[in-house]
Amino acid sequence: MRSSEASLRGVQHLIHGRVRAFLYIAVGLCALGLSWPAAGAPPRKVVANSIRSSPLTAAQQKWLPAEWKPFFAYTRVFSIRNSKHASIVLLVSPNAPRYYRAQPGNSVAQVQLPHALLFTPEGEAIGSLPSAFPDDPPAELRVTFTDWKADFPQRIELFETDPRASGNRALPDLVWDASRKIFVTNQEGHHG
Amino acid sequence: MGDPAAAVAQLKAACDRAYDNNLHSCSNAVYDLIKELVNPGETYRQANEFIDYWDENWKSVSLEEGFGLANRGIVVVGGLKVLGGHGHVIAIYPGTKIPNGGYQYFYKPANKYLTLKPTGTYPRALSTSISTTWPGTMSKGDKTVWDPWAKDEAFSNVEFWAPPASF
């Protein structure tokens, strides 16, 4: 009898604990729900550097100029997805770490890597980046797709981390030119 | 200016002293050089401020003109501002032009040393830096004016100036 009372108390304690936890979560969600509309929805930003990449497919190889051929094996594709998780932009770039790791010896001559290109998932070219992505040694580029309208990014922010004298700095944004269906350089840039 | 060879030797010696005494500050190295050979009462400025000052008060010269002047013993400075940053300033070190690049740096993501291949010849540089992570910023005449920036696109924005009294 005592043991059944104890187990009943244990179950009640567990239920109370879960109810309490549920209430905390519900209150938290309500608080978030009340604060977001007041401040506006958080702007959608997709940082390409945090996306997992995939190898270049045989079909995608045909999209690229001849000078990319030596880098096909080291080229990666980053799929930029909209809020419905549909792929809308492909960022295609030779991957510097993979390329240099594959070269023999501890000391390697630096090569000029092709600059990253932007494509639609169907293979139409819609722009280029000012360097390879994410690294064009010794610099590293952070690429952020932002200003989403109709589930498509209107702006690409670029920030270069560079040990050379130019230093770490924001590069001019790329903005979507809807009439030409291409991302073009916004010379005014931004200072982030 | 008297004996050109003596003036060049004087500029070279002043560049060497400026380098040795200011390994971690580009603006202090150039400041020392200007104080010694141009204006003993020069005001110290940081790199971006020096560039603004030269732009308004010194004579802008092309790289080729600067190379010729430095080899007559005249102080020629150069630099590029970084908005929101420190910028970088250098001086042309007298002597023959030498190939850019040719040095190694460690590229951690690949765990390899990469060697920057020469792409041309440029005047030599006096250059020091607070950050020693890029070998091209450290030059006592052994690297070129291109090497601190080490990228044609960036170097094309670097400007050079000489004191107005030199003309």
Side-chain angles (χ1 to χ4, degrees):
Chain A
M1 184 67 181
R2 277 191 177 178
S3 86
S4 66
E5 275 177 6
S7 60
L8 183 62
R9 270 199 302 275
V11 169
Q12 283 173 335
H13 184 75
L14 185 66
I15 288 170
H16 285 154
R18 286 188 175 173
V19 166
R20 209 164 32 238
F22 172 79
L23 282 173
Y24 286 150
I25 291 168
V27 167
L29 285 174
C30 283
L32 286 173
L34 287 171
S35 62
W36 268 350
R44 180 177 175 76
K45 284 179 184 269
V46 175
V47 180
N49 304 60
S50 60
I51 294 173
R52 190 171 289 177
S53 62
S54 56
L56 194 66
T57 65
Q60 288 166 342
Q61 286 182 6
K62 292 174 186 160
W63 303 350
L64 299 170
E67 62 264 28
W68 280 65
K69 202 169 180 182
F71 304 99
F72 278 172
Y74 317 104
T75 295
R76 305 295 292 181
V77 180
F78 298 79
S79 179
I80 312 305
R81 296 175 185 277
N82 65 15
S83 64
K84 297 176 186 69
H85 211 61
S87 179
I88 47 159
V89 175
L90 298 180
L91 193 170
V92 181
S93 179
N95 183 276
R98 287 171 190 267
Y99 173 79
Y100 286 116
R101 258 187 246 128
Q103 308 308 308
N106 289 329
S107 178
V108 182
Q110 181 162 338
V111 297
Q112 176 69 57
L113 297 170
H115 293 186
L117 297 173
L118 303 169
F119 292 95
T120 65
E122 294 76 32
E124 287 175 60
I126 55 170
S128 62
L129 301 186
S131 65
F133 172 83
D135 286 10
D136 203 332
E140 184 183 340
L141 189 65
R142 190 180 74 212
V143 178
T144 306
F145 290 78
T146 185
D147 286 4
W148 291 71
K149 283 181 190 154
D151 243 358
F152 192 84
Q154 303 298 303
R155 182 178 297 273
I156 304 173
E157 293 176 354
L158 306 170
F159 190 88
E160 192 167 70
T161 304
D162 193 337
R164 292 170 291 195
S166 296
N168 304 339
R169 67 209 185 281
L171 304 181
D173 294 346
L174 299 176
V175 294
W176 178 243
D177 183 335
S179 61
R180 293 164 58 201
K181 296 196 181 308
I182 193 168
F183 284 98
V184 294
T185 302
N186 174 11
Q187 284 301 337
E188 289 174 14
H190 71 103
H191 302 285
Chain B
M1 189 76 64
D3 177 8
V8 168
Q10 191 182 25
L11 174 59
K12 183 178 176 301
C15 283
D16 290 345
R17 276 190 292 277
Y19 178 91
D20 292 338
N21 294 332
N22 301 280
L23 288 173
H24 302 294
S25 172
C26 64
S27 53
N28 272 294
V30 172
Y31 171 60
D32 275 6
L33 184 66
I34 294 171
K35 272 197 306 181
E36 184 171 342
L37 297 182
V38 181
N39 174 20
E42 182 73 22
T43 302
Y44 171 75
R45 297 169 176 88
Q46 292 194 328
N48 281 349
E49 287 72 42
F50 255 137
I51 291 167
D52 284 339
Y53 175 77
W54 296 329
D55 216 22
E56 288 179 14
N57 297 283
W58 286 34
K59 183 172 167 36
S60 175
V61 296
S62 69
L63 180 57
E64 277 308 304
E65 288 169 332
F67 173 64
L69 290 168
N71 281 296
R72 285 168 42 205
I74 294 167
V75 172
V76 178
V77 294
L80 180 62
K81 286 170 73 170
V82 172
L83 296 176
H86 295 293
H88 187 64
V89 290
I90 60 172
I92 298 181
Y93 190 102
T96 56
K97 290 183 183 179
I98 56 173
N100 61 352
Y103 44 86
Q104 288 188 331
Y105 67 97
F106 187 63
Y107 178 49
K108 197 175 177 184
N111 201 30
K112 301 255 182 178
Y113 284 94
L114 302 190
T115 304
L116 208 61
K117 286 191 289 190
T119 56
T121 59
Y122 293 86
R124 297 162 190 258
L126 159 68
S127 177
T128 61
S129 177
I130 190 169
S131 165
T132 53
T133 52
W134 180 248
T137 57
M138 300 303 291
S139 173
K140 192 179 180 180
D142 56 320
K143 298 190 188 71
T144 77
V145 294
W146 180 91
D147 288 293
W149 293 274
K151 191 177 184 182
D152 290 342
E153 195 183 335
F155 183 66
S156 67
N157 294 317
V158 176
E159 294 182 79
F160 293 89
W161 300 269
S166 313
F167 296 89

XYZ file of all heavy atoms in Angstrom, chain A residues 41-107:
535
model
N 8.851 41.147 -37.962
C 9.454 39.813 -38.066
C 10.955 39.956 -38.269
O 11.400 40.907 -38.912
C 8.838 39.072 -39.229
N 11.749 39.059 -37.693
C 13.195 39.172 -37.896
C 13.520 39.013 -39.379
O 12.980 38.114 -40.022
C 13.770 38.007 -37.070
C 12.631 37.089 -36.839
C 11.387 37.894 -36.891
N 14.367 39.912 -39.933
C 14.641 39.824 -41.366
C 15.359 38.521 -41.705
O 16.214 38.064 -40.944
C 15.527 41.035 -41.633
C 16.070 41.424 -40.316
C 15.093 40.985 -39.278
N 14.976 37.937 -42.827
C 15.577 36.672 -43.243
C 16.979 36.944 -43.779
O 17.187 37.827 -44.606
C 14.717 36.044 -44.329
C 15.230 34.727 -44.857
C 14.259 34.134 -45.880
N 14.795 32.935 -46.481
C 14.851 31.744 -45.879
N 14.388 31.610 -44.661
N 15.367 30.698 -46.497
N 17.933 36.204 -43.273
C 19.309 36.302 -43.762
C 19.835 34.884 -43.921
O 19.670 34.071 -43.019
C 20.213 37.049 -42.781
C 20.028 38.561 -42.787
C 20.953 39.203 -41.770
C 20.734 40.698 -41.678
N 21.572 41.462 -42.579
N 20.427 34.601 -45.053
C 21.010 33.275 -45.259
C 22.510 33.473 -45.479
O 22.931 34.119 -46.448
C 20.374 32.557 -46.469
C 21.087 31.232 -46.734
C 18.887 32.330 -46.222
N 23.301 32.962 -44.554
C 24.758 33.085 -44.648
C 25.289 31.839 -45.353
O 25.183 30.719 -44.837
C 25.392 33.228 -43.249
C 26.912 33.367 -43.352
C 24.793 34.428 -42.527
N 25.819 32.056 -46.547
C 26.259 30.915 -47.361
C 27.351 30.108 -46.666
O 27.456 28.896 -46.858
C 26.738 31.409 -48.716
N 28.153 30.785 -45.825
C 29.263 30.092 -45.155
C 28.785 28.995 -44.218
O 29.547 28.104 -43.860
C 30.098 31.094 -44.364
C 30.612 32.216 -45.217
O 29.820 32.946 -45.803
N 31.909 32.376 -45.316
N 27.504 29.079 -43.782
C 27.017 28.076 -42.839
C 26.227 26.962 -43.538
O 25.646 26.108 -42.876
C 26.150 28.746 -41.777
O 25.043 29.375 -42.379
N 26.229 26.982 -44.859
C 25.487 25.965 -45.619
C 26.424 24.821 -45.983
O 27.570 25.052 -46.390
C 24.909 26.586 -46.912
C 23.856 27.632 -46.551
C 24.307 25.520 -47.820
C 23.363 28.418 -47.736
N 25.922 23.611 -45.864
C 26.720 22.447 -46.276
C 26.739 22.378 -47.806
O 25.706 22.564 -48.441
C 26.119 21.166 -45.700
C 27.009 19.964 -45.890
C 26.486 18.786 -45.136
N 26.638 18.952 -43.695
C 26.200 18.072 -42.804
N 25.589 16.978 -43.197
N 26.388 18.269 -41.514
N 27.906 22.151 -48.379
C 28.035 22.150 -49.844
C 28.022 20.729 -50.391
O 28.176 19.756 -49.648
C 29.326 22.847 -50.247
O 30.430 22.145 -49.716
N 27.835 20.645 -51.707
C 27.860 19.340 -52.367
C 28.821 19.402 -53.552
O 29.154 20.493 -54.026
C 26.456 18.955 -52.835
O 25.955 19.967 -53.674
N 29.269 18.251 -54.043
C 30.177 18.271 -55.199
C 29.449 18.730 -56.462
O 28.221 18.717 -56.525
C 30.628 16.814 -55.337
C 30.053 16.077 -54.204
C 28.993 16.897 -53.578
N 30.247 19.101 -57.433
C 29.721 19.523 -58.730
C 29.208 18.293 -59.477
O 29.900 17.272 -59.541
C 30.881 20.170 -59.492
C 30.635 20.988 -60.732
C 29.846 22.259 -60.398
C 31.977 21.360 -61.356
N 28.020 18.380 -60.076
C 27.516 17.253 -60.865
C 28.024 17.370 -62.300
O 28.506 18.440 -62.716
C 25.982 17.235 -60.887
O 25.538 18.412 -61.592
C 25.401 17.222 -59.471
N 27.891 16.290 -63.036
C 28.323 16.303 -64.445
C 27.529 17.350 -65.225
O 28.085 18.048 -66.087
C 28.132 14.917 -65.050
N 26.241 17.474 -64.933
C 25.412 18.465 -65.637
C 25.883 19.883 -65.301
O 25.955 20.744 -66.183
C 23.955 18.289 -65.233
N 26.244 20.106 -64.031
C 26.687 21.451 -63.617
C 28.050 21.803 -64.211
O 28.334 22.978 -64.443
C 26.725 21.525 -62.090
C 25.337 21.546 -61.459
C 25.354 21.275 -59.965
O 26.330 20.747 -59.421
N 24.260 21.616 -59.293
N 28.877 20.801 -64.470
C 30.190 21.074 -65.087
C 30.024 21.812 -66.403
O 30.836 22.654 -66.775
C 30.943 19.769 -65.327
C 31.499 19.142 -64.071
C 32.282 17.878 -64.358
O 32.513 17.510 -65.511
N 32.706 17.196 -63.299
N 28.954 21.508 -67.131
C 28.734 22.109 -68.458
C 28.371 23.596 -68.359
O 28.414 24.304 -69.353
C 27.632 21.340 -69.192
C 28.066 19.934 -69.555
C 26.928 19.139 -70.138
C 27.375 17.694 -70.358
N 26.267 16.765 -70.464
N 27.998 24.045 -67.175
C 27.667 25.462 -67.012
C 28.937 26.322 -66.949
O 28.860 27.540 -67.111
C 26.921 25.709 -65.692
C 25.659 24.942 -65.491
C 24.994 24.189 -66.411
C 24.915 24.863 -64.270
N 23.882 23.638 -65.831
C 23.800 24.043 -64.523
C 25.076 25.406 -63.002
C 22.854 23.748 -63.545
C 24.141 25.124 -62.033
C 23.034 24.295 -62.303
N 30.074 25.698 -66.652
C 31.270 26.455 -66.277
C 32.233 26.671 -67.445
O 32.356 25.804 -68.322
C 31.992 25.731 -65.144
C 31.147 25.573 -63.869
C 31.830 24.632 -62.883
C 30.886 26.928 -63.224
N 32.956 27.824 -67.454
C 33.946 28.089 -68.510
C 35.105 27.089 -68.464
O 35.336 26.426 -67.443
C 34.450 29.496 -68.176
C 33.478 30.067 -67.210
C 32.847 28.923 -66.499
N 35.836 27.033 -69.569
C 36.911 26.035 -69.717
C 37.970 26.145 -68.625
O 38.530 25.124 -68.203
C 37.554 26.199 -71.085
N 38.257 27.383 -68.139
C 39.337 27.542 -67.156
C 39.008 26.898 -65.807
O 39.872 26.791 -64.939
C 39.716 29.018 -66.979
C 38.628 29.913 -66.451
C 37.895 30.643 -67.572
O 37.846 30.098 -68.696
O 37.362 31.741 -67.322
N 37.780 26.465 -65.643
C 37.398 25.802 -64.391
C 37.805 24.328 -64.392
O 37.786 23.691 -63.342
C 35.878 25.890 -64.175
C 35.409 27.202 -63.634
C 35.478 28.411 -64.256
C 34.798 27.441 -62.365
N 34.939 29.386 -63.447
C 34.508 28.810 -62.282
C 34.451 26.615 -61.284
C 33.905 29.395 -61.177
C 33.839 27.191 -60.182
C 33.574 28.564 -60.128
N 38.097 23.789 -65.571
C 38.300 22.338 -65.689
C 39.303 21.779 -64.669
O 39.008 20.757 -64.026
C 38.716 21.968 -67.117
C 38.425 20.524 -67.438
C 38.580 20.233 -68.915
C 38.257 18.758 -69.157
N 38.427 18.388 -70.570
N 40.482 22.426 -64.467
C 41.427 21.870 -63.477
C 40.868 21.866 -62.049
O 41.430 21.212 -61.170
C 42.634 22.811 -63.565
C 42.466 23.572 -64.827
C 41.016 23.625 -65.121
N 39.788 22.606 -61.836
C 39.249 22.737 -60.476
C 37.939 21.965 -60.274
O 37.361 22.025 -59.198
C 39.034 24.223 -60.142
C 40.270 25.052 -60.285
C 40.494 25.811 -61.430
C 41.248 25.048 -59.298
C 41.639 26.562 -61.577
C 42.399 25.797 -59.431
C 42.605 26.556 -60.582
N 37.481 21.254 -61.317
C 36.198 20.544 -61.207
C 36.146 19.639 -59.970
O 35.158 19.608 -59.252
C 35.942 19.690 -62.453
C 35.368 20.459 -63.613
C 35.243 19.858 -64.870
C 34.940 21.773 -63.467
C 34.718 20.557 -65.935
C 34.417 22.482 -64.548
C 34.308 21.862 -65.781
N 37.221 18.912 -59.743
C 37.223 17.944 -58.637
C 37.138 18.626 -57.265
O 36.807 17.977 -56.274
C 38.479 17.073 -58.697
N 37.493 19.921 -57.241
C 37.535 20.647 -55.965
C 36.431 21.705 -55.880
O 36.443 22.549 -54.991
C 38.901 21.327 -55.789
C 40.033 20.425 -56.183
C 40.700 20.599 -57.389
C 40.396 19.358 -55.365
C 41.714 19.748 -57.779
C 41.412 18.497 -55.755
C 42.061 18.701 -56.962
O 43.055 17.844 -57.341
N 35.522 21.686 -56.841
C 34.456 22.697 -56.870
C 33.270 22.236 -56.030
O 32.909 21.056 -56.047
C 34.024 22.961 -58.331
O 35.125 23.539 -59.021
C 32.834 23.910 -58.387
N 32.711 23.168 -55.281
C 31.577 22.853 -54.405
C 30.375 23.726 -54.779
O 30.536 24.848 -55.291
C 31.942 23.108 -52.936
C 33.169 22.390 -52.470
C 33.014 20.888 -52.484
N 32.064 20.384 -51.501
C 31.785 19.095 -51.323
N 32.361 18.169 -52.083
N 30.908 18.725 -50.407
N 29.208 23.208 -54.518
C 27.958 23.900 -54.838
C 27.193 24.144 -53.536
O 26.944 23.207 -52.768
C 27.103 23.059 -55.805
C 25.798 23.792 -56.132
C 27.885 22.753 -57.079
N 26.851 25.408 -53.305
C 26.087 25.797 -52.115
C 24.691 26.183 -52.585
O 24.530 27.107 -53.388
C 26.738 26.996 -51.416
C 28.126 26.724 -50.916
C 29.205 26.739 -51.786
C 28.354 26.447 -49.586
C 30.492 26.488 -51.342
C 29.645 26.197 -49.117
C 30.709 26.206 -50.001
N 23.704 25.489 -52.095
C 22.325 25.743 -52.511
C 21.655 26.716 -51.539
O 21.505 26.409 -50.350
C 21.566 24.414 -52.549
O 20.241 24.648 -52.932
N 21.278 27.882 -52.056
C 20.589 28.890 -51.232
C 19.089 28.607 -51.334
O 18.545 28.569 -52.450
C 20.897 30.320 -51.734
C 22.413 30.504 -51.955
C 20.327 31.357 -50.782
C 23.284 30.205 -50.774
N 18.470 28.403 -50.193
C 17.057 27.993 -50.184
C 16.165 29.102 -49.636
O 16.571 29.871 -48.776
C 16.900 26.719 -49.353
C 17.649 25.542 -49.952
C 17.606 24.305 -49.079
N 18.443 23.260 -49.645
C 18.049 22.433 -50.618
N 16.815 22.509 -51.097
N 18.868 21.520 -51.101
N 14.922 29.119 -50.147
C 13.957 30.106 -49.657
C 13.245 29.563 -48.416
O 13.596 28.487 -47.906
C 12.980 30.510 -50.778
C 12.114 29.344 -51.227
O 12.031 28.311 -50.547
N 11.474 29.505 -52.368
N 12.219 30.300 -47.965
C 11.555 29.907 -46.710
C 10.806 28.578 -46.848
O 10.488 27.947 -45.848
C 10.592 31.009 -46.265
O 9.569 31.156 -47.224
N 10.506 28.191 -48.093
C 9.819 26.906 -48.310
C 10.818 25.781 -48.570
O 10.456 24.707 -49.035
C 8.846 27.027 -49.480
C 7.737 28.038 -49.217
C 6.843 28.224 -50.426
C 5.842 29.340 -50.201
N 6.490 30.676 -50.153
N 12.096 26.093 -48.338
C 13.191 25.137 -48.464
C 13.468 24.737 -49.923
O 14.093 23.725 -50.205
C 12.912 23.893 -47.619
C 14.179 23.259 -47.109
N 15.059 23.923 -46.285
C 14.711 22.038 -47.334
C 16.082 23.140 -46.020
N 15.902 21.990 -46.650
N 12.967 25.570 -50.844
C 13.243 25.288 -52.259
C 14.551 25.978 -52.655
O 14.798 27.128 -52.274
C 12.099 25.805 -53.119
N 15.382 25.285 -53.422
C 16.644 25.846 -53.885
C 16.352 26.924 -54.926
O 15.635 26.674 -55.907
C 17.495 24.721 -54.496
O 18.697 25.248 -54.952
N 16.902 28.140 -54.722
C 16.620 29.231 -55.662
C 17.883 29.823 -56.291
O 17.828 30.372 -57.373
C 15.816 30.360 -54.985
C 16.447 30.709 -53.646
C 14.355 29.993 -54.827
C 16.069 32.053 -53.167
N 19.013 29.726 -55.588
C 20.296 30.198 -56.132
C 21.353 29.148 -55.805
O 21.385 28.625 -54.681
C 20.728 31.550 -55.503
C 22.111 31.961 -55.995
C 19.719 32.652 -55.810
N 22.208 28.874 -56.786
C 23.346 27.983 -56.529
C 24.623 28.810 -56.580
O 24.863 29.530 -57.553
C 23.411 26.864 -57.576
C 22.212 25.924 -57.633
C 22.419 24.872 -58.730
C 21.967 25.242 -56.294
N 25.394 28.739 -55.506
C 26.689 29.416 -55.452
C 27.739 28.347 -55.757
O 27.860 27.361 -55.025
C 26.894 30.014 -54.058
C 28.019 31.011 -53.829
C 27.878 31.653 -52.453
C 29.389 30.422 -53.985
N 28.450 28.529 -56.853
C 29.411 27.508 -57.319
C 30.820 28.085 -57.219
O 31.082 29.168 -57.750
C 29.091 27.095 -58.772
C 30.067 26.035 -59.260
C 27.651 26.595 -58.880
N 31.705 27.387 -56.531
C 33.061 27.934 -56.356
C 34.099 26.835 -56.205
O 33.825 25.795 -55.593
C 33.117 28.819 -55.107
O 34.431 29.331 -54.934
N 35.313 27.084 -56.747
C 36.412 26.181 -56.402
C 36.671 26.300 -54.905
O 36.566 27.395 -54.354
C 37.604 26.711 -57.212
C 37.248 28.124 -57.537
C 35.748 28.209 -57.576
N 36.986 25.208 -54.273
C 37.211 25.216 -52.824
C 38.709 25.180 -52.568
O 39.380 24.176 -52.846
C 36.514 24.003 -52.201
C 36.659 23.996 -50.704
O 37.655 23.531 -50.175
N 35.675 24.547 -50.011
N 39.223 26.301 -52.048
C 40.674 26.440 -51.878
C 41.273 25.373 -50.950
O 42.293 24.762 -51.303
C 41.012 27.840 -51.391
N 40.693 25.120 -49.775
C 41.307 24.100 -48.914
C 41.380 22.731 -49.592
O 42.394 22.038 -49.500
C 40.385 24.063 -47.694
C 39.747 25.416 -47.659
C 39.575 25.796 -49.094
N 40.306 22.334 -50.272
C 40.320 21.023 -50.943
C 41.369 20.995 -52.046
O 42.075 20.009 -52.231
C 38.933 20.725 -51.538
C 37.889 20.374 -50.499
C 36.497 20.295 -51.124
N 35.477 20.183 -50.091
C 34.983 19.040 -49.638
N 35.406 17.889 -50.142
N 34.062 19.024 -48.689
N 41.464 22.108 -52.817
C 42.437 22.141 -53.918
C 43.868 22.048 -53.385
O 44.657 21.219 -53.840
C 42.268 23.422 -54.739
C 43.360 23.583 -55.777
C 43.319 22.877 -56.975
C 44.462 24.395 -55.531
C 44.336 22.984 -57.906
C 45.485 24.518 -56.458
C 45.415 23.811 -57.642
O 46.438 23.903 -58.545
N 44.187 22.889 -52.398
C 45.577 22.929 -51.922
C 45.947 21.669 -51.136
O 47.082 21.209 -51.206
C 45.830 24.197 -51.104
C 45.925 25.423 -51.985
C 44.993 26.452 -51.890
C 46.936 25.542 -52.936
C 45.067 27.565 -52.715
C 47.023 26.649 -53.763
C 46.087 27.663 -53.649
O 46.170 28.756 -54.476
N 44.974 21.113 -50.408
C 45.259 19.865 -49.678
C 45.632 18.743 -50.641
O 46.430 17.869 -50.311
C 44.034 19.444 -48.855
C 44.153 19.770 -47.381
C 42.987 19.185 -46.616
N 42.163 20.249 -46.062
C 40.857 20.362 -46.225
N 40.180 19.477 -46.917
N 40.199 21.356 -45.697
N 45.054 18.797 -51.841
C 45.294 17.720 -52.812
C 46.628 17.858 -53.542
O 47.054 16.929 -54.234
C 44.154 17.707 -53.831
N 47.296 19.004 -53.400
C 48.574 19.212 -54.092
C 49.697 18.555 -53.298
O 49.690 18.578 -52.070
C 48.865 20.705 -54.286
C 47.734 21.481 -54.938
C 47.250 20.857 -56.226
O 48.033 20.570 -57.131
N 45.945 20.614 -56.304
N 50.679 17.955 -54.017
C 51.764 17.272 -53.299
C 52.696 18.255 -52.584
O 52.887 19.373 -53.037
C 52.509 16.533 -54.426
C 52.156 17.270 -55.675
C 50.788 17.852 -55.474
N 53.260 17.800 -51.471
C 54.256 18.591 -50.739
C 53.628 19.518 -49.723
O 52.414 19.755 -49.721
N 54.497 20.030 -48.859
C 54.036 20.957 -47.821
C 54.005 22.399 -48.298
O 53.379 23.250 -47.684
C 54.952 20.879 -46.598
C 54.754 19.574 -45.854
O 53.658 19.025 -45.851
N 55.826 19.071 -45.263
N 54.721 22.662 -49.399
C 54.805 24.006 -49.939
C 54.255 23.981 -51.368
O 54.717 23.206 -52.204
C 56.253 24.478 -49.922
O 56.345 25.755 -50.481
